[in-house]
Amino acid sequence: DAGITQSPRHKVTETGTPVTLRCHQTENHRYMYWYRQDPGHGLRLIHYSYGVKDTDKGEVSDGYSVSRSKTEDFLLTLESATSSQTSVYFCAISETGAMGRNQPQHFGDGTRLSIL
Amino acid sequence: QKEVEQNSGPLSVPEGAIASLNCTYSDRVSQSFFWYRQYSGKSPELIMSIYSNGDKEDGRFTAQLNKASQYVSLLIRDSQPSDSATYLCAAARGGSYIPTFGRGTSLIVHP
């Protein structure tokens, strides 16, 4: 299995509090991603990173920020959590592929976040 | 907008049967395709990658790709109750490291 560790695995917090989720990889892969998964919506990309300090927004980035100061760590921050951000959050990693052949993503075990 | 479509199911098959899961994609320049299995409460797990037209077999799993018709399928032979899960299809353009995921098909294999 790909070496991806997400922390915490579960978190309950209150509306308006800041929350930071961590993704740590031991694979030295270039690309890292944060997704959220909700019933009826499937996986939705929040932010992604294509290198240290290189990040960009996904389709549902509002209310989220990220940072990647080291290859192995990708942090997702909810500056002021809202109940609509209650979800399961997955980190994924992938490596550069050969021309025309993307490498697949590998996922961490997820963080179940509840915002009351 | 790039889309990957899957029937949400559930697809119910008896144990020992062949389960056929289908996926269509809208982006004609997609070149890489992936099937993931996701058990309830768990993370997606890669089953197969396929890049060329035709069939690719791995154990009980066969992925089929038809770029002209823009569909990719996953066949599971000798289905087992342990295969009961949601199967996610994903497609990516060559050179893009951001795949587009379908919403998944729920498979139930009953004894």
Side-chain angles (χ1 to χ4, degrees):
Chain A
D1 289 344
I4 309 168
T5 303
Q6 290 187 234
S7 58
R9 294 293 316 280
H10 302 272
K11 187 173 182 65
V12 180
T13 190
E14 294 183 347
T15 299
T17 60
V19 177
T20 295
L21 308 183
R22 180 181 185 239
C23 179
H24 178 78
Q25 61 147 329
T26 58
E27 304 297 319
N28 200 36
H29 282 1
R30 177 180 178 185
Y31 304 105
M32 298 186 75
Y33 314 78
W34 278 107
Y35 290 90
R36 61 179 289 176
Q37 188 175 42
D38 306 284
H41 290 278
L43 285 167
R44 292 185 290 176
L45 182 65
I46 304 172
H47 281 280
Y48 60 96
S49 170
Y50 46 96
V52 172
K53 296 186 179 179
D54 291 324
T55 65
D56 208 344
K57 297 178 180 180
E59 62 179 296
V60 290
S61 60
D62 287 349
Y64 302 95
S65 62
V66 290
S67 66
R68 190 173 180 194
S69 59
K70 298 185 291 185
T71 298
E72 58 266 36
D73 289 325
F74 193 32
L75 303 181
L76 176 70
T77 297
L78 291 66
E79 300 290 349
S80 178
T82 68
S83 58
S84 64
Q85 294 176 310
T86 292
S87 186
V88 178
Y89 291 84
F90 289 107
C91 173
I93 65 174
S94 68
E95 190 46 276
T96 306
M99 181 63 69
R101 291 199 168 201
N102 307 71
Q103 290 299 302
Q105 294 176 328
H106 297 276
F107 288 81
D109 289 337
T111 294
R112 189 170 298 275
L113 178 63
S114 296
I115 301 166
L116 306 178
Chain B
Q1 184 172 351
K2 302 189 289 287
E3 292 184 342
V4 174
E5 299 287 343
Q6 297 181 256
N7 189 317
S8 62
L11 173 65
S12 181
V13 300
E15 184 174 356
I18 297 175
S20 177
L21 304 162
N22 300 312
C23 169
T24 60
Y25 59 94
S26 63
D27 188 352
R28 289 185 172 275
V29 298
S30 295
Q31 296 190 29
S32 304
F33 304 88
F34 311 101
W35 281 102
Y36 291 83
R37 177 177 62 199
Q38 186 174 23
Y39 292 114
S40 180
K42 301 295 185 182
S43 62
E45 172 193 12
L46 180 70
I47 299 175
M48 299 264 283
S49 304
I50 186 166
Y51 303 97
S52 304
N53 279 327
D55 295 358
K56 179 181 179 183
E57 186 174 320
D58 184 0
R60 295 187 297 111
F61 298 98
T62 299
Q64 299 176 318
L65 175 59
N66 184 322
K67 290 184 179 179
S69 299
Q70 294 179 237
Y71 83 79
V72 57
S73 62
L74 180 70
L75 302 179
I76 307 174
R77 292 183 299 282
D78 188 24
S79 295
Q80 301 297 310
S82 59
D83 294 324
S84 298
T86 296
Y87 290 80
L88 304 175
C89 172
R93 292 183 166 194
S96 169
Y97 45 87
I98 303 175
T100 299
F101 282 87
R103 296 187 178 184
T105 297
S106 174
L107 172 66
I108 299 173
V109 182
H110 53 86

